[in-house]
Amino acid sequence: MTQGHRLAALRTLWIVAILAFLYIPIISVVLASLANTRYMRFPHRIWTVDAYRDALGSFTTWQLHTISLSIALSVVLISTLLGTLGAVAFARYDWRGRGWFQRLLVLPIFFPQPVLGLALLLSFTAIGISPSWKTAVVAHLVWIVPIVTLVISVRFFGYDVAQEEAAYDLGASNLQVFREVTMPQIWPGVFSGILFGFLLSWSNLPLSVFTSGPDTPLPVWLFTRTATNYSPLVPSVAVIGTVVSAMIVIGAALLLWASSRLRSPAR
Amino acid sequence: MMAETATQSGRPVILSLAGLSKSFGDMRAVKPVTLDIPEGEFLTIVGPSGSGKSTLVRLLAGLEAPTEGRLKLRGEDITSIPANRRPTAMVFQSLALFDHRSVGQNIEFAMKMKGVAPDARKTRALELLRLVRLPESYYDRPVTQCSGGEKQRVALARAFASDPEILFFDEPLSAIDYRLRKTLEVELKELHQRTGRTFVYITHSLEEAMVMSDRIAIMQAGELVQIGTPAEIYGRPANRFVASFMGEVNILAVEGAAFPDIGRPIENPGGAYAVLRPEDLQPGTGDIRAEFKVTQRLLLGSRTHLHLESATGAAFVSEIGGTVEAFAVGTTHEFGFARDSVVWVDT
């Protein structure tokens, strides 16, 4: 009995330790943003939200978010489209060369991102394209499209494709088959693909550092300002950026929930 | 030649196959098939896996385009009309129910595609639920919550909802346990009789075919080898393949005027093989008799199967009615059969 108690206590301790390991660094960013000094020291002598006032009033904060958001939304749009089509080729039909397609598609994921970033920057300059947020979109796509494709492919393996034939046999046009069967079946995968695409792009540093040129996305700014010109403004912008992306993700989830609620009782 | 029986029935032909064939690359999945299916018939196409029966029914449903040949529905050429514009419906092997939808939504699918109003759709769906003997309360149930047998009924109702001229079945009962399958076979036969629709049913089980069908077509390696009523198929199998497909049978090679297998002479009307059913090989009777050693005794309840070995070492099966405890393994007895119980085949 006592041994059982001890085991249970150990297990609780282990879980608490893991959670602390995961979340203390995140909490420490929040704590650092509430200081008025550039020296990272704890506990603070003065607790203040001055950094947030500065961040919200600064044009740079807005610009960083606009750039990151432009990149992320472009990436989501293109990667979801390419990922869905790619998943059809990856998982749905058996065709000559599919094995090679599957291998080549996942290859970029295994490349170290800084190497990929450098390679892309060299390619862009070689063909005379100067880096900007648009080249960063291309760079992100190289990394994110394979992941989104795989995420959506899983759904294609997960349902009986004879359902599409059945729908067709019962008089549905190709478009109706897609709308009535294929899309509802792969939608959970597409939705995860959208979230993955957004979050991976929003938080990407190694590709953006090489390929965004004069347009600075959020993670790149955080990195350079931490390295060269740190102040509590840096963690406060980091917290704002996290809140913004969390709001977008939660908003998307709510939208999905609301749309499914709207559709089901009306049938 | 194969169309003869169809016209004999006196009913108009609903579906007519003329040299319909399908090749995948070099592989000929279905060799040219010519066949007339009369209105209201329950036709079953039987064959082992890989015999091309599934491909044939997919050609008929329009899910696969034939390599050669024509297909006519009531005299109208429908060869190049795709499945979604053919007035036929298929019940798939996996049933292919829309698992993200309710029972009602599944049944109403074809009507929804046709643009039927929701109220009319629901009225018809409830009617179809009664037709397949499901309670109306199932209308709002997700299909994923239905049992295997209930899913079969939903799939059937969904196919009926498109008001098809012909229903195709691609082995829908193959994944169902024995007792439920027997029940559904009878229900399907009744449904056929009640609705008067034309059913084309695919199965690998000749037993299933015998129970339900008006006519049976046997397929072997992409070819229709025999077509006829269950009694014709059973009584006069076209070859050894058809005969052995019926269940365990004894096939005796004949050389000249003797069965080398049992070392007895016989009047050979000109076949290369003699087919002898287990129920025709009985102890102590018959024109032609020989000594056999019992090697195995299988009690099947209503009947007993005896595995026998002739003096020349050939294996035979005899079926005796009832549970018989005599004929112990290792003992030798005289078994025989009537001369006219033998079915002769050439190949």
Side-chain angles (χ1 to χ4, degrees), chain A residues 130-246:
Chain A
S130 50
S132 69
W133 71 270
K134 289 171 200 155
T135 52
V137 169
V138 175
H140 285 196
L141 285 174
V142 171
W143 166 257
I144 290 169
V145 166
I147 295 171
V148 173
T149 309
L150 289 183
V151 167
I152 300 175
S153 293
V154 172
R155 280 301 308 166
F156 269 104
F157 287 118
Y159 72 99
D160 179 11
V161 293
Q163 286 180 33
E164 287 168 11
E165 281 196 326
Y168 186 65
D169 184 54
L170 291 168
S173 66
N174 284 322
L175 192 69
Q176 284 172 318
V177 171
F178 185 78
R179 210 178 54 209
E180 298 286 332
V181 180
T182 316
M183 201 54 200
Q185 290 287 359
I186 65 167
W187 174 243
V190 174
F191 187 72
S192 325
I194 289 172
L195 287 190
F196 264 108
F198 177 79
L199 292 173
L200 287 176
S201 170
W202 183 262
S203 62
N204 188 281
L205 173 67
L207 291 166
S208 300
V209 135
F210 285 97
T211 54
S212 65
D215 299 330
T216 313
L218 197 60
V220 175
W221 185 85
L222 290 178
F223 171 70
T224 45
R225 278 298 293 269
T226 307
T228 57
N229 194 9
Y230 179 82
S231 75
L233 185 68
V234 176
S236 71
V237 170
V239 171
I240 292 169
T242 310
V243 170
V244 167
S245 73

Side-chain angles (χ1 to χ4, degrees), chain B residues 5-286:
Chain B
T5 31
T7 45
Q8 272 165 16
S9 73
R11 284 173 294 189
V13 171
I14 187 164
L15 196 65
S16 171
L17 293 68
L20 210 63
S21 75
K22 178 73 183 178
S23 301
F24 297 106
D26 293 336
M27 212 265 291
R28 296 198 83 179
V30 176
K31 290 172 191 158
V33 174
T34 298
L35 171 68
D36 283 342
I37 301 170
E39 179 116 41
E41 183 174 66
F42 197 135
L43 172 74
T44 303
I45 300 169
V46 190
S49 56
S51 61
K53 59 189 190 300
S54 274
T55 310
L56 179 59
V57 85
R58 289 174 64 84
L59 292 178
L60 301 185
L63 292 166
E64 215 65 79
T67 311
E68 273 169 348
R70 312 305 299 172
L71 186 65
K72 284 181 180 173
L73 183 79
R74 296 187 195 286
E76 201 179 314
D77 196 317
I78 57 160
T79 315
S80 53
I81 292 181
N84 59 353
R85 291 196 281 118
R86 285 189 192 185
T88 59
M90 175 122 120
V91 177
F92 288 79
Q93 180 163 26
S94 63
L95 300 183
L97 291 174
F98 307 130
D99 53 23
H100 55 296
R101 296 283 163 83
S102 69
V103 168
Q105 286 170 319
N106 265 276
I107 297 174
E108 287 177 16
F109 188 84
M111 292 183 272
K112 189 179 171 192
M113 294 301 105
K114 274 186 198 156
V116 177
D119 287 352
R121 281 183 346 219
K122 184 164 181 179
T123 311
R124 178 82 180 119
L126 294 175
E127 232 173 81
L128 288 162
L129 278 174
R130 285 194 296 276
L131 181 76
V132 298
R133 298 194 172 137
L134 280 176
E136 289 188 1
S137 59
Y138 272 55
Y139 182 84
D140 286 318
R141 187 171 285 204
V143 275
T144 45
Q145 282 177 19
C146 292
S147 72
E150 289 162 358
K151 282 182 183 163
Q152 295 279 341
R153 291 158 210 252
V154 175
L156 206 56
R158 184 180 70 173
F160 264 109
S162 68
D163 200 23
E165 302 237 19
I166 306 175
L167 275 113
F168 299 113
F169 299 84
D170 187 8
E171 298 201 52
L173 302 182
S174 60
I176 295 266
D177 69 82
Y178 183 79
R179 285 184 60 185
L180 182 58
R181 194 166 67 226
K182 289 288 144 206
T183 313
L184 290 170
E185 280 171 11
V186 174
E187 278 187 25
L188 206 58
K189 185 170 178 161
E190 281 172 9
L191 200 62
H192 172 252
Q193 287 162 347
R194 259 188 294 156
T195 60
R197 298 293 160 102
T198 309
F199 282 24
V200 177
Y201 193 98
I202 300 288
T203 179
H204 60 265
S205 156
L206 192 54
E207 199 189 332
E208 199 171 300
M210 300 284 284
V211 172
M212 298 188 291
S213 330
D214 296 326
R215 271 201 308 165
I216 297 173
I218 310 258
M219 247 184 133
Q220 179 189 14
E223 215 165 349
L224 273 192
V225 290
Q226 190 173 9
I227 180 157
T229 63
E232 282 167 4
I233 300 276
Y234 184 79
R236 295 193 300 277
N239 58 23
R240 277 183 297 161
F241 171 80
V242 176
S244 60
F245 211 68
M246 192 71 66
E248 274 181 291
V249 289
N250 301 298
I251 293 171
L252 295 81
V254 180
E255 277 174 22
F259 294 126
D261 291 339
I262 53 170
R264 286 283 182 282
I266 186 169
E267 223 171 280
N268 184 352
Y273 298 94
V275 176
L276 180 64
R277 297 187 193 291
E279 60 268 33
D280 292 329
L281 183 62
Q282 294 294 323
T285 57

Side-chain angles (χ1 to χ4, degrees), chain A:
Chain A
M1 203 60 197
T2 44
Q3 200 175 0
H5 276 294
R6 211 173 298 150
L7 256 171
L10 264 173
R11 199 183 301 140
T12 314
L13 196 71
W14 175 245
I15 293 167
V16 169
I18 298 260
L19 289 177
F21 175 73
L22 289 175
Y23 286 98
I24 283 178
I26 297 172
I27 295 165
S28 70
V29 173
V30 180
L31 293 175
S33 68
L34 296 171
N36 70 339
T37 158
R38 49 187 296 194
Y39 302 107
M40 294 192 221
R41 204 188 309 152
F42 197 79
H44 306 317
R45 262 182 231 125
I46 301 160
W47 294 80
T48 168
V49 290
D50 281 355
Y52 284 95
R53 203 172 300 130
D54 289 350
L56 290 173
S58 137
F59 174 67
T60 316
T61 316
W62 295 101
Q63 202 183 25
L64 297 174
H65 281 81
T66 312
I67 290 170
S68 273
L69 209 59
S70 309
I71 296 174
L73 291 182
S74 312
V75 165
V76 163
L77 207 70
I78 302 170
S79 66
T80 310
L81 193 71
L82 290 181
T84 306
L85 296 175
V88 173
F90 190 95
R92 187 67 167 71
Y93 296 106
D94 211 357
W95 45 284
R96 260 177 92 98
R98 184 171 85 145
W100 280 105
F101 171 75
Q102 289 175 335
R103 273 168 232 151
L104 284 175
L105 184 84
V106 297
L107 202 60
I109 305 176
F110 294 98
F111 260 90
Q113 287 192 63
V115 178
L116 209 57
L118 178 64
L120 283 159
L121 176 63
L122 292 174
S123 319
F124 288 140
T125 44
I127 56 173
I129 298 172
S130 50
S132 69
W133 71 270
K134 289 171 200 155
T135 52
V137 169
V138 175
H140 285 196
L141 285 174
V142 171
W143 166 257
I144 290 169
V145 166
I147 295 171
V148 173
T149 309
L150 289 183
V151 167
I152 300 175
S153 293
V154 172
R155 280 301 308 166
F156 269 104
F157 287 118
Y159 72 99
D160 179 11
V161 293
Q163 286 180 33
E164 287 168 11
E165 281 196 326
Y168 186 65
D169 184 54
L170 291 168
S173 66
N174 284 322
L175 192 69
Q176 284 172 318
V177 171
F178 185 78
R179 210 178 54 209
E180 298 286 332
V181 180
T182 316
M183 201 54 200
Q185 290 287 359
I186 65 167
W187 174 243
V190 174
F191 187 72
S192 325
I194 289 172
L195 287 190
F196 264 108
F198 177 79
L199 292 173
L200 287 176
S201 170
W202 183 262
S203 62
N204 188 281
L205 173 67
L207 291 166
S208 300
V209 135
F210 285 97
T211 54
S212 65
D215 299 330
T216 313
L218 197 60
V220 175
W221 185 85
L222 290 178
F223 171 70
T224 45
R225 278 298 293 269
T226 307
T228 57
N229 194 9
Y230 179 82
S231 75
L233 185 68
V234 176
S236 71
V237 170
V239 171
I240 292 169
T242 310
V243 170
V244 167
S245 73
M247 268 164 34
I248 290 173
V249 169
I250 292 167
L254 281 176
L255 216 67
L256 180 79
W257 178 76
S259 75
S260 72
R261 274 295 293 265
L262 263 177
R263 221 177 306 149
S264 61
R267 302 196 326 100

